[in-house]
């Protein structure tokens, strides 16, 4: 392990809850682990509540609000204390921060949900704004394209945090794809319900990414990465798609 | 149809939104002096292919006449009033001048086919957007600034406002009552309906010439 | 065929039309770039948006009084005001006005509200010649197509397609693919129509209650010609277009033109307050305004849905929609396409008619971010999705609630809840998924037509984290 950030800013809370998201727990655990390790190395005590499952977003965005509420409600008891909740995903963080208030409106546990919503951060946001993490690049020179998830960009407003983190890495050359802010076409159940439109969108997105000559595409959301990476793989392209936490951890440890 | 009217209004009254938004100030004045206003007007107007010339009370009509000659504009249309009179006095040697003197129905085909250029005054100008402000009236009817392929507009430099909001505030349009028709004109007629590519002169004037009189 | 199948059929057709999709991509990239040039300063843009939102919201709060004031002022000014509950009434009113004036030919400026009412077809069936005079509208009228965009109706066609269309209808004119020459051709054809039309029909961008003024925003001059050259002018608009004061107009005009087409201002801003007065030599002798409800008062009872009525029809949400750029406007099958269409049309026409439009959205939020009057479009679309699958008990003005609920989908969400609302069940599920990952299917319906299938990891994060010494508390 490197000696990155041995002295985190005094203001950083000692302890946080890590809300890993359902996709990361099951499909991309290394992304979550990397995020937790980045935080721990920076001196943060990371708690991963075992009972967590999903923020409820898939059902909420599909119109099944009762189902979303049941699942979101089951998360409340994971966060009994007033620690910040750090989420390695723009869209799941956005769900908790911006949609839980609507979902829980008028419910008996509304206050609890609001407290958690106020205390929720997207991981790169937390690393930059609260931890003030400093990174030392130990990796080989590489070309990276950043895909900011729509939720990270618009709902959470943290598009520049991922750029600032990657910008700290001395051997990383950041390349920019055409139509950078355009959605990759994932959209949760959209990719299933409108499979062909989603397919056309990810085709455009991967074409723009490939045109940059990047070795790796990084993002704050594994949903986008599952879409973009899955499409690149399907096309027989060897551009790698990686969660930002895993990318940062790999290059600095 | 008053039953429909009453039904619509009743439904609106029965369900009034509670939102009472606070009015916020639109924009602060730019504090431009006369030269800055002329410069901005000129830049904006030229950016949309409007022509702008700076001239004087004594010279503008001869400048207009010269422009007509250079561009081969033979049949000019004027209204009534000082602008029309000065153009008639100074430009009669260069172009045939016709006055807009009868209802349009009596000479529509000629207006649409035989007039090359119309010369009008302006009520004001807007510096920030490069706009002419016209209040067409019986002396200078509405179609003058619209049908002929070239429109020459004479703008008094002291009538340049910073923008629309400033003009409405200073001139108190709402309090004074609105004319039949009021216009902001910002360049010659244009379209981008084919491939988002700008093309000029689709329906209105193909060419708009502003003479700023100082 | 139900609405969802019909929608998928149109989508399929659109996705296979590569030329059209290239046309959309290129046009929308251009419009986006032009708009962004107009707003170099985020803080200023935000201040202007808030101003515009406030003006529109204020007008909706005071709407009944403002409509009465507008009617009184217009009447005092000599403009006749008519009220229509629905498209049929509006069309009937207009036909009656034309009949009374013995008007046989009509030139039209652009009006989306007249698309709502199907006015052209209605008048043509009564033997009235209707000529669309906005260049884009003229092109699609020749092609017998509806607009594919609310601001740029012929955006789906390239110059070659326009050239061929003109050539088919005007074979005597020389064939050209040059945009300037095509524009000149349209000018020549339409000049005659303006000179001879008995009546002009237009829409309205803002109707000012304070002064009784109808405002029209345009570049071509066809709007001015339609409202000035014929002896009768009929304007048609939705009742939400009323604003309180003349001083409300400059911020709306500025954000409308900058957002819609990336211009600081359009060529013409036309303010009409009266018909031709005694002694005036041109302008229509009679001016009428038709105010159309068509579902607007119904929408307005709902504190969330009424935000839709702030819309100023700039089309910016459409220009930034990543789904619209793939499909184009016709695939939606409604008058208004794109995000505003997805939000508005199910409210207007019913979820049971067009609710499946709500599936054509990734909730990426681009539309809400650019909307000049801050309509929370993604939130509205999400809400409509909820009411589409759940009739619910709470009051709602929406028609056809629950119409899109289907058993299979509802059951899978129930199963999903069973797994994810209970940590113990979820752990069992995760254990099975990771330990039996070799059983993961390689084909996952539409997903694997374009992507590889995702596969569960060997161990969940929960397991890996404990190995690394992270605690659960």
């Amino acid at each position: 392990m490197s000696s990155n950030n041995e002295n985190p800013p005094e203001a950083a809370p000692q302890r946080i809850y890590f809300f890993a998201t359902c996709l990361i727990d099951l499909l991309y655990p290394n992304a979550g682990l990397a995020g937790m390790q980045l935080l721990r190395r920076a001196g943060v005590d990371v708690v991963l509540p075992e009972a967590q499952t999903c923020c409820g977003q898939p059902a909420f965005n599909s119109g099944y609000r009762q189902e979303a509420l049941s699942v979101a409600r089951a998360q409340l008891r994971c966060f009994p204390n007033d620690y910040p909740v750090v989420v390695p995903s723009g869209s799941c963080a956005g769900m908790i921060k911006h949609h839980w208030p609507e979902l829980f409106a008028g419910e008996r546990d509304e206050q609890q949900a609001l407290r958690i919503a106020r205390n929720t951060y997207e991981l790169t946001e937390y690393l930059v704004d609260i931890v003030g993490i400093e990174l030392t690049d130990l990796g080989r020179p590489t070309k990276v394209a950043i895909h900011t998830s729509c939720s990270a960009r618009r709902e959470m407003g943290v598009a520049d945090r991922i750029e600032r983190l990657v910008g700290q890495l001395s051997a990383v050359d950041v390349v920019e794809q055409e139509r950078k802010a355009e959605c990759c076409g994932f959209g949760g159940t959209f990719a299933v319900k409108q499979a062909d439109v989603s397919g056309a969108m990810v085709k455009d997105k991967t074409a723009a990414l490939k045109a940059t000559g990047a070795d790796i595409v990084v993002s704050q959301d594994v949903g986008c990465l599952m879409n973009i990476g899955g499409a690149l793989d399907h096309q027989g392209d060897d551009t790698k798609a990686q969660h930002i936490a895993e990318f940062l951890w790999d290059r600095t440890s | 149809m008053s039953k429909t009217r009453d039904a619509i209004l009743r439904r609106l009254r029965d369900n009034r939104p509670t939102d009472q938004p606070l009015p916020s100030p639109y924009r602060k004045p730019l504090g431009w002096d006369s030269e800055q206003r002329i410069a901005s007007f000129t830049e904006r107007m030229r950016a949309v292919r409007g022509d702008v010339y700076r001239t004087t009370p004594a010279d503008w009509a001869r400048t207009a006449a010269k422009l007509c000659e250079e561009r081969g504009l033979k049949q000019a249309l004027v209204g009534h009033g000082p602008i029309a009179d000065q153009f008639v006095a100074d430009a009669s040697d260069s172009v045939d001048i016709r006055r807009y003197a009868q209802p349009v129905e009596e000479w529509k085909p000629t207006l649409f086919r035989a007039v090359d250029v119309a010369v009008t005054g302006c009520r004001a100008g807007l510096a920030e957007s490069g706009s002419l402000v016209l209040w067409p009236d019986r002396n200078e009817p509405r179609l003058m600034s619209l049908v002929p392929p070239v429109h020459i507009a004479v703008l008094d430099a002291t009538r340049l406002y910073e923008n629309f909001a400033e003009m409405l505030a200073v001139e108190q349009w709402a309090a004074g009552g609105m004319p039949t028709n009021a216009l902001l004109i910002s360049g010659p007629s244009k379209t981008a309906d084919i491939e988002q590519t700008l093309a000029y002169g689709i329906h209105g004037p193909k060419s708009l010439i502003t003479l700023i009189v100082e | 065929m139900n609405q969802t199948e019909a929608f998928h059929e149109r989508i399929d057709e659109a996705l296979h039309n590569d030329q059209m999709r290239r046309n959309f991509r290129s046009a929308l990239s251009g419009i986006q770039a032009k708009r962004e040039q107009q707003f170099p300063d985020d803080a200023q843009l935000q201040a202007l948006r808030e101003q515009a939102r406030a003006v529109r919201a204020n007008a909706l709060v005071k709407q009944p009084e403002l409509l009465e004031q507008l009617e009184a002022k217009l009447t005092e000014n000599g403009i006749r005001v008519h009220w229509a509950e629905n498209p049929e009434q509006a069309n009937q009113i207009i036909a009656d006005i034309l009949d009374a004036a013995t008007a046989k030919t009509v030139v039209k400026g652009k009006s989306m509200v007249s698309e709502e009412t199907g006015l052209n077809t209605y008048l043509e069936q009564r033997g009235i010649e209707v000529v669309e005079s906005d260049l884009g509208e003229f092109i699609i009228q020749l092609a017998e197509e509806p607009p594919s965009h609310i601001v740029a109706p012929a955006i789906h066609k390239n110059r070659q397609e326009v050239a061929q269309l003109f050539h088919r209808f005007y074979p005597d004119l020389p064939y050209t693919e040059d945009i300037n020459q095509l524009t000149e051709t349209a000018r020549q054809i339409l000049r005659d129509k303006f000179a001879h039309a008995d009546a002009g029909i237009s829409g309205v961008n803002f109707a000012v209650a304070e002064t009784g003024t109808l405002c029209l925003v345009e570049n071509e001059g066809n709007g001015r010609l339609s409202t000035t050259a014929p002896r009768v002018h009929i304007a048609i608009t939705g009742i939400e277009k009323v604003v309180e004061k003349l001083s409300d107009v400059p911020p709306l005009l500025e954000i409308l033109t900058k957002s819609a087409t990336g211009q600081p201002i359009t060529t013409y801003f036309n303010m009409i307050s009266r018909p031709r007065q005694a002694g005036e030599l041109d302008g229509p002798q009679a001016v009428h305004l038709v105010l159309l409800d068509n579902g607007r008062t119904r929408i307005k009872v709902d504190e969330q849905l009424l935000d839709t009525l702030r819309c100023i029809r700039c089309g910016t949400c459409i220009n930034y929609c990543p789904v619209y750029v793939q499909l184009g406007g016709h695939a939606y099958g409604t008058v208004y396409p794109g995000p505003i269409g997805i939000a508005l049309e199910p409210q207007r026409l019913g979820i049971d008619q067009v609710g499946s439009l709500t599936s054509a959205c990734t909730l990426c939020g681009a539309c809400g971010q650019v909307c000049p009057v801050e309509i929370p479009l993604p939130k509205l679309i999400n809400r409509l999705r909820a009411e589409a699958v759940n009739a619910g008990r709470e009051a709602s003005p929406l028609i056809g609630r629950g119409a899109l609920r289907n058993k299979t989908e509802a059951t899978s969400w129930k199963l999903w809840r069973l797994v994810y609302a209970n940590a113990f069940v979820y752990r069992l599920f995760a254990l099975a998924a990771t330990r039996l990952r070799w059983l993961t299917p390689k084909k996952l319906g539409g997903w694997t037509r374009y992507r590889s299938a995702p596969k569960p990891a060997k161990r969940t994060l929960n397991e890996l984290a404990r190995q690394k010494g992270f605690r659960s508390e």
Side-chain angles (χ1 to χ4, degrees):
Chain A
M1 198 184 283
S2 82
S3 58
N4 271 333
N5 216 50
E6 276 171 357
N7 302 306
E10 290 295 317
Q14 295 301 300
R15 189 170 294 166
I16 61 116
Y17 290 122
F18 200 76
F19 184 75
T21 84
C22 56
L23 286 183
I24 282 184
D25 187 51
L26 203 55
L27 300 172
Y28 303 95
N30 289 331
L33 197 60
M36 295 166 70
Q37 286 173 309
L38 283 167
L39 288 163
R40 178 157 75 182
R41 189 178 66 193
V44 179
D45 181 12
V46 180
V47 176
L48 181 77
E50 189 169 9
Q52 63 176 281
T53 59
C54 169
C55 62
Q57 184 188 189
F60 183 73
N61 283 354
S62 304
Y64 288 83
R65 293 194 175 184
Q66 276 313 313
E67 288 78 358
L69 181 62
S70 304
V71 169
R73 175 168 283 146
Q75 313 311 309
L76 297 181
R77 66 190 175 88
C78 297
F79 313 113
N81 295 310
D82 228 1
Y83 316 146
V85 178
V86 178
V87 188
S89 154
S91 71
C92 307
M95 176 68 196
I96 298 174
K97 200 171 183 66
H98 299 291
H99 301 295
W100 274 19
E102 186 182 355
L103 190 61
F104 283 93
E107 298 290 326
R108 55 187 152 75
D109 34 20
E110 183 179 3
Q111 285 313 314
Q112 213 182 335
L114 285 174
R115 177 180 59 79
I116 295 165
R118 274 195 301 271
N119 240 341
T120 295
Y121 297 82
E122 185 275 330
L123 173 65
T124 62
E125 176 190 22
Y126 197 80
L127 288 174
V128 172
D129 296 5
I130 309 296
V131 175
I133 197 167
E134 283 171 29
L135 300 165
T136 307
D137 194 1
L138 307 173
R140 282 207 294 248
T142 186
K143 266 163 91 171
V144 173
I146 298 170
H147 170 75
T148 305
S149 82
C150 297
S151 315
R153 177 179 295 280
R154 304 195 180 91
E155 213 159 65
M156 296 298 291
V158 298
D160 64 326
R161 309 299 200 286
I162 183 170
E163 291 178 355
R164 281 155 68 180
L165 290 170
V166 177
Q168 287 192 38
L169 303 176
S170 53
V172 172
D173 180 15
V174 178
V175 289
E176 190 164 300
Q177 69 276 23
E178 214 189 330
R179 298 188 294 273
K180 194 178 168 190
E182 188 171 285
C183 177
C184 69
F186 176 58
T189 49
F190 172 83
V192 180
K193 280 199 156 184
Q194 291 289 1
D196 295 320
V197 188
S198 175
M201 290 168 75
V202 75
K203 208 171 141 194
D204 280 4
K205 183 55 77 182
T206 49
L209 287 165
K210 285 194 276 190
T212 63
D215 304 308
I216 306 185
V217 180
V218 296
S219 176
Q220 295 116 308
D221 262 73
V222 293
C224 311
L225 290 167
M226 184 165 80
N227 183 37
I228 294 170
L232 288 168
D233 189 58
H234 187 79
Q235 295 160 16
D237 189 272
D238 55 9
T239 312
K240 225 168 118 183
Q242 200 175 36
H243 190 272
I244 179 65
E246 201 177 346
F247 176 73
L248 294 177
W249 181 252
D250 282 0
R251 292 193 70 89
T252 58
S253 62
Chain B
M1 278 302 142
S2 75
K3 236 174 65 189
T4 302
R5 169 193 185 274
D6 296 344
I8 290 173
L9 289 173
R10 191 177 55 247
R11 288 199 297 275
L12 291 174
R13 281 209 179 82
D14 288 350
N15 296 290
R16 192 184 295 275
T18 49
D19 180 20
Q20 286 284 352
L22 296 170
S24 46
Y26 173 41
R27 290 228 248 126
K28 291 194 182 75
L30 300 164
W32 284 348
D33 64 20
S34 166
E35 200 53 46
Q36 284 169 309
R37 289 173 194 224
I38 292 174
S40 172
F41 176 90
T42 305
E43 188 200 325
R44 291 312 318 152
M45 191 53 104
R46 286 184 179 154
V48 290
R49 296 218 197 149
D51 298 311
V52 181
Y53 297 90
R54 293 176 73 163
T55 174
T56 63
D59 279 343
W60 73 260
R62 277 190 291 275
T63 305
K66 208 171 112 228
L67 286 166
C68 291
E69 270 186 82
E70 282 168 13
R71 298 183 183 212
L73 307 171
K74 295 190 169 57
Q75 184 69 54
L77 176 67
V78 298
H80 295 87
I83 297 279
D85 294 344
Q86 188 171 341
F87 187 73
V88 169
D90 290 358
S92 293
D93 298 341
S94 316
V95 282
D96 291 338
I97 302 175
R98 179 189 177 113
R99 289 211 189 236
Y100 199 144
Q102 67 218 93
V104 66
E105 287 75 17
E106 293 168 23
W107 69 295
K108 228 183 207 176
T110 314
L111 171 63
F112 272 78
R113 290 203 197 101
V115 176
D116 299 319
V117 54
V119 181
T120 75
C122 299
R123 180 184 174 89
L126 308 178
E128 202 183 6
S129 56
S131 313
L132 299 170
V133 183
L134 269 69
W135 278 23
D137 58 12
R138 58 198 304 168
N139 287 326
E140 289 186 345
R142 293 163 72 169
L143 290 171
M144 285 185 73
S145 61
L146 184 57
V147 173
V150 180
H151 175 204
I152 297 177
V154 184
L155 172 64
D156 177 349
T158 64
R159 303 279 306 154
L160 259 178
Y161 291 95
E162 282 178 357
N163 51 40
F164 194 14
E166 190 207 12
M167 176 177 66
L168 290 182
V170 173
E171 295 200 350
Q172 295 284 306
W173 279 24
M178 292 291 281
T180 303
N181 182 220
L183 296 162
L184 307 186
I185 300 179
S186 312
S189 153
K190 63 180 184 289
T191 182
D193 273 349
I194 305 176
E195 292 190 4
Q196 298 302 300
T197 304
L198 271 179
Y200 286 85
I202 168 71
H203 294 300
K206 299 176 175 187
S207 177
L208 173 65
I209 301 167
T210 306
L211 304 179
I212 301 180
V213 178
E214 299 172 67
Chain C
M1 193 167 14
N2 70 31
Q3 54 155 316
T4 305
E5 288 160 358
F7 188 29
H8 278 283
E9 199 159 279
R10 293 192 301 270
I11 287 173
D12 198 47
E13 198 182 317
L15 288 176
H16 283 92
N17 191 339
D18 290 338
Q19 180 60 56
M20 187 195 75
R21 291 175 62 217
R22 277 195 297 273
N23 296 348
F24 274 106
R25 175 60 88 184
S26 127
L28 296 183
S29 299
I31 299 179
Q32 287 182 13
K34 281 201 279 181
R35 172 189 171 273
E36 277 147 30
Q37 278 173 11
Q38 294 301 326
F39 298 118
D41 184 315
D42 268 352
Q44 270 176 27
L45 167 59
Q46 199 45 39
L48 187 57
R49 285 178 87 207
E50 271 155 31
Q51 174 79 11
R53 186 200 63 83
V55 166
R56 293 293 306 128
N58 171 62
L60 291 174
V61 172
K62 299 180 183 159
Q63 197 182 11
E65 291 74 30
L66 295 184
L67 284 170
E68 280 182 316
Q69 191 187 1
L70 177 73
E71 182 186 41
K73 272 284 168 191
L74 287 172
T75 309
E76 186 187 313
N77 294 354
I79 293 177
R80 286 216 36 206
V81 178
H82 312 260
W83 301 73
E85 196 74 72
N86 51 42
E88 297 70 37
Q89 279 184 13
N91 290 343
Q92 181 69 54
I93 289 166
I94 293 173
D96 288 348
I97 296 169
L98 295 174
D99 274 355
T102 59
K104 284 286 167 207
T105 58
V106 170
V107 278
K108 269 186 75 197
K110 219 180 119 38
S111 156
M112 287 309 294
V113 174
S114 77
E115 297 287 338
E116 270 182 47
T117 70
L119 179 63
N120 291 10
T121 314
Y122 184 91
L123 294 180
E124 278 158 6
Q125 280 165 359
R126 277 165 176 66
I128 292 167
E129 184 194 358
V130 183
V131 179
E132 291 285 354
S133 62
D134 168 87
L135 178 58
E137 291 282 351
F138 176 67
I139 290 167
I140 59 167
Q141 191 183 28
L142 290 181
E144 294 185 32
E145 291 171 6
S148 60
H149 186 289
I150 64 172
V151 172
I155 194 170
H156 57 292
K157 293 203 180 297
N158 64 15
R159 68 181 80 191
Q160 287 80 16
E161 292 165 298
V162 176
Q164 283 151 23
L165 198 59
F166 280 17
H167 188 62
R168 180 144 60 89
F169 283 89
Y170 303 96
D172 297 341
L173 299 171
Y175 181 85
T176 175
E177 291 179 1
D178 179 273
I179 288 175
N180 284 316
Q181 284 176 38
L182 288 167
T183 302
E184 177 62 26
T185 303
R187 178 184 176 99
Q188 294 315 327
I189 296 165
L190 288 163
R191 284 244 121 183
D192 251 18
K193 304 287 183 190
F194 288 122
H196 295 110
D198 301 314
I201 296 178
S202 76
V204 174
N205 291 95
F206 324 114
V208 184
E210 178 184 33
T211 54
T213 301
L214 309 177
C215 303
L216 279 83
V217 180
E218 58 145 347
N219 279 308
E220 296 189 358
N222 71 303
R224 282 184 67 198
L225 278 162
S226 302
T227 58
T228 316
R231 55 193 160 84
V232 181
H233 167 209
I234 306 167
I236 176 167
T237 194
I239 51 170
E240 84 283 14
K241 287 287 176 71
V242 68
V243 297
E244 185 177 8
K245 300 186 299 267
L246 200 58
S247 59
D248 289 340
V249 169
L252 282 187
L253 175 64
E254 178 177 347
I255 206 161
L256 171 64
T257 65
K258 287 183 172 178
S259 300
T261 57
Q263 304 178 90
I265 193 167
T266 49
T267 301
Y268 301 115
F269 184 62
N270 184 4
M271 291 162 269
I272 298 167
S273 303
R274 284 185 182 75
R276 186 192 304 193
Q277 301 295 290
E280 291 179 350
L281 301 176
D282 58 21
Q285 270 123 4
V287 179
H288 299 262
L289 174 68
V290 180
L291 289 166
L292 175 67
D293 183 340
N294 199 20
R296 287 161 172 86
T297 51
R298 181 167 47 76
I299 294 169
K300 218 189 144 192
V301 307
D302 186 290
E303 287 279 346
Q304 187 178 35
L305 299 180
L306 80 87
D307 288 346
T308 322
L309 297 170
R310 286 208 298 269
C311 180
I312 55 172
R313 304 288 190 261
C314 67
T316 314
C317 60
I318 301 175
N319 299 340
Y320 278 78
C321 178
V323 173
Y324 176 89
V325 75
Q326 300 290 345
L327 299 182
H330 290 156
Y332 294 79
T334 44
V335 169
Y336 302 96
I340 185 61
I342 297 177
L344 177 63
E345 298 293 36
Q347 299 184 44
R348 197 165 71 84
L349 304 167
I351 291 168
D352 48 342
Q353 299 301 309
V354 294
S356 59
L357 286 186
T358 58
S359 67
C361 172
T362 65
L363 296 175
C364 79
C367 50
Q369 189 185 31
V370 296
C371 174
V373 288
E374 302 184 323
I375 300 172
L377 289 158
K379 233 183 170 59
L380 290 168
I381 293 169
N382 194 314
R383 152 94 183 267
L384 291 170
R385 282 185 181 174
E387 297 210 27
V389 295
N390 188 351
R393 276 183 303 271
E394 63 285 2
S396 168
L398 291 168
I399 297 167
R401 297 164 84 200
L404 295 182
R405 189 176 185 86
N406 84 56
K407 262 215 168 100
T408 322
E409 198 183 87
T411 308
S412 31
W413 285 114
K414 283 208 168 67
L415 279 172
W416 174 84
R417 168 165 66 184
L418 195 73
V419 173
Y420 284 90
N422 183 314
F424 178 71
V425 180
Y426 172 73
R427 283 292 142 222
L428 285 179
F429 164 75
L431 190 70
T434 48
R435 298 319 187 267
L436 304 173
R437 61 199 291 266
W438 48 275
L439 284 175
T440 311
K442 292 261 181 308
K443 294 266 175 224
L444 289 172
W447 177 270
T448 42
R449 272 206 292 283
Y450 307 97
R451 313 162 193 86
S452 309
K455 201 172 180 182
K458 285 183 187 143
R459 294 289 178 270
T460 63
L461 173 65
N462 221 335
E463 295 171 89
L464 295 181
R466 304 307 162 214
Q467 289 168 14
K468 292 274 182 191
F470 287 99
R471 58 202 180 79
S472 169
E473 199 175 52

